[in-house]
Structures are given as structure tokens and as C-alpha cells.
Amino acid sequence: MGLEFDFSKLDAMDILDIATYVEKEAEANYQELGVWCRTTAPEAEAFFNRMAGWEARHGDQLIERRKELFGDTPVRLTDSGAWQIETPDYDKVGSEMTLMDALNVALEAEKIAERYYAAAVEYLTDPDTIAILDELREAEIHHQEMLKTEMAKH
């Protein structure tokens, strides 16, 4: 996992803001995986671009849900560093990435994101925010299933 969080010091709005940053970072990571696979596993590029699109939608949905719950309340946390929640462990792969390498690192990143959202929910009392994070956790499980399906094809 990337950064360690003390969720007890964050409120529901802060946790949603971090989730938005995490999903946007995941989008960028999948775009990078697609580029990285372009020469060694070109068939994976389109798959990772689709994954990036899903992560982008999650980020956009979080922004909308935050506005519904908290209106125009300013964000208190800045997106100024790597959150590394849903970030593939590129060190496991090195400079040469096969399709299976890319799928495996993506699968591990999705598992970490699932655990992150499950941990965050433990500190929340707001049912609306809990529901949002439960939806995200379920989406991460769905992404894991999609990655496993893709792995089975190769």
C-alpha cells in the first residue's frame, strides 16, 4: 500500500476527497501501463485504456457525489503528491513488461485499492459516504474479476 492513513483523523469529506485523488491517479497509472505495453504487448494497450476510462468515471462520479453531500465546501487536502493506493508496483516488473506482468501488477493494485476502501469505511459514521466507499470497493472487486478474465484469455 502507498501512504498510510490515520482515518480517525479524517472526516467523511476528506476521505471522499482522497478517494477522488486515488481514482484520478489510478486513471493515470492505467494510461501509463497502456503506453508501457504498447511495444511488448500491444493487445494490452486497449484493455488498459478501457481501465483508465473506468477509473476516470469513478473520479468524476466522486466529484458529483461530493458536491451532493457537501455542496461547495472547499477541499482541505491538496493533491500534491503520489497517493500510491491503486498504483502498480513497477519495481516487480523492471523495464521489460509482458502482458501477464502488466495484468498481474494491475491486479495487485486493484486488491490494494479494495483493502483501502474497506479500511476507510471502518472509521466512517455517515451512511451516504459509507455507501459511496462500499460502491468503490465493489468496483475494485469487479476490476479484479475483469483482470482475471483477461489473464485467462492469454
Side-chain angles (χ1 to χ4, degrees):
M1 189 180 280
L3 296 175
E4 293 293 323
F5 292 95
D6 183 351
F7 291 111
S8 68
K9 296 183 190 270
L10 300 171
D11 66 13
M13 188 177 75
D14 292 334
I15 290 173
L16 280 184
D17 289 337
I18 292 171
T20 302
Y21 299 151
V22 166
E23 294 300 317
K24 293 298 185 180
E25 183 177 65
E27 173 190 3
N29 289 329
Y30 278 121
Q31 289 170 339
E32 181 157 340
L33 276 173
V35 170
W36 206 350
C37 290
R38 187 175 289 157
T39 55
T40 58
E43 65 276 17
E45 183 178 12
F47 177 78
F48 286 122
N49 286 338
R50 281 195 314 275
M51 294 289 289
W54 292 322
E55 300 294 355
R57 277 192 294 285
H58 292 166
D60 293 342
Q61 290 166 347
L62 280 167
I63 291 168
E64 290 173 20
R65 302 284 292 275
R66 182 199 191 278
K67 187 163 182 70
E68 291 169 8
L69 292 173
F70 303 107
D72 293 325
T73 305
V75 175
R76 294 182 295 239
L77 304 171
T78 59
D79 187 13
S80 60
W83 297 97
Q84 297 182 331
I85 303 301
E86 199 168 345
T87 300
D89 185 354
Y90 294 111
D91 291 337
K92 286 185 178 178
V93 179
S95 61
E96 294 292 321
M97 184 180 291
T98 67
L99 172 59
M100 289 308 288
D101 291 334
L103 293 170
N104 277 312
V105 296
L107 180 61
E108 188 57 34
E110 294 292 337
K111 289 177 181 179
I112 292 168
E114 175 195 352
R115 289 190 300 265
Y116 167 79
Y117 290 126
V121 163
E122 296 298 316
Y123 291 90
L124 291 169
T125 57
D126 173 58
D128 292 326
T129 308
I130 290 170
I132 293 167
L133 293 187
D134 280 341
E135 289 170 20
L136 284 170
R137 188 183 55 76
E138 288 296 324
E140 303 306 339
I141 292 169
H142 180 66
H143 291 174
Q144 292 170 43
E145 292 166 358
M146 291 180 343
L147 284 159
K148 289 175 185 175
T149 300
E150 191 68 20
M151 293 166 108
K153 293 178 186 177
H154 303 282

